[in-house]
Amino acid sequence: MSEDERIYVGSKPILSYVTAVVTALQRADSVKVLARGRAISSAVDVVEVTKRSFMTDIAVDDISIGTERLGEGDAARNVSTIAITLSRQKS
Amino acid sequence: MSEDERIYVGSKPILSYVTAVVTALQRADSVKVLARGRAISSAVDVVEVTKRSFMTDIAVDDISIGTERLGEGDAARNVSTIAITLSRQKS
């Protein structure tokens, strides 16, 4: 049993990531939902939909934001990132 | 001097919100940067750009996410929200 699974949110439909989070939380103690740039909004949607409709017993343990540098030379640019750590509440 | 200012991030250019955050942190102890839906990514950009390029001494004290119900009847829908609390580090 792994301790920390990672799910990268991109441009697929929200529900496909929700399914991935639910599956991951059934085998792992905690799951990190990660996203960059425009997908940050989708990552928050994934967590909120999972919590509201699929697994009401999950807790948001930590949210952190940051910046990553993508590309090289003239094409280099800064992209914002988010990491949301979820776990199932022990009850 | 107010203790907690709020800045709502929407669809204007990132730099106009960055200016608002910098101004607010000069008169308040802490500032809450708020956004809904697609603007959540922009709110993270605002905080990251402010921290990186304008005020390197700010700290992210708290990040929380949630859901708000907008509209009524058939038009009602859930929208994700974010609230990022910033303060200047005492040095």
Side-chain angles (χ1 to χ4, degrees), chain B residues 31-68:
Chain B
V31 169
K32 262 203 167 97
V33 178
L34 304 161
R36 289 200 286 228
R38 293 299 104 193
I40 289 176
S41 308
S42 308
V44 175
D45 286 341
V46 167
V47 170
E48 286 298 307
V49 170
T50 307
K51 216 166 72 172
R52 207 170 54 235
S53 310
F54 294 89
M55 279 186 154
T56 48
D57 62 341
I58 59 174
V60 175
D61 293 331
D62 184 65
I63 306 176
S64 61
I65 59 175
T67 302
E68 248 177 60

Side-chain angles (χ1 to χ4, degrees), chain A residues 44-45 48 51-52, chain B residues 40 64-68 79-83:
Chain A
V44 175
D45 286 342
E48 287 298 307
K51 217 165 74 171
R52 207 171 54 237
Chain B
I40 289 176
S64 61
I65 59 175
T67 302
E68 248 177 60
V79 177
S80 299
T81 61
I82 197 166

Side-chain angles (χ1 to χ4, degrees), chain A residues 3 14 32 34 48 55:
Chain A
E3 284 233 322
I14 297 299
K32 261 203 170 100
L34 305 160
E48 287 298 307
M55 278 185 154

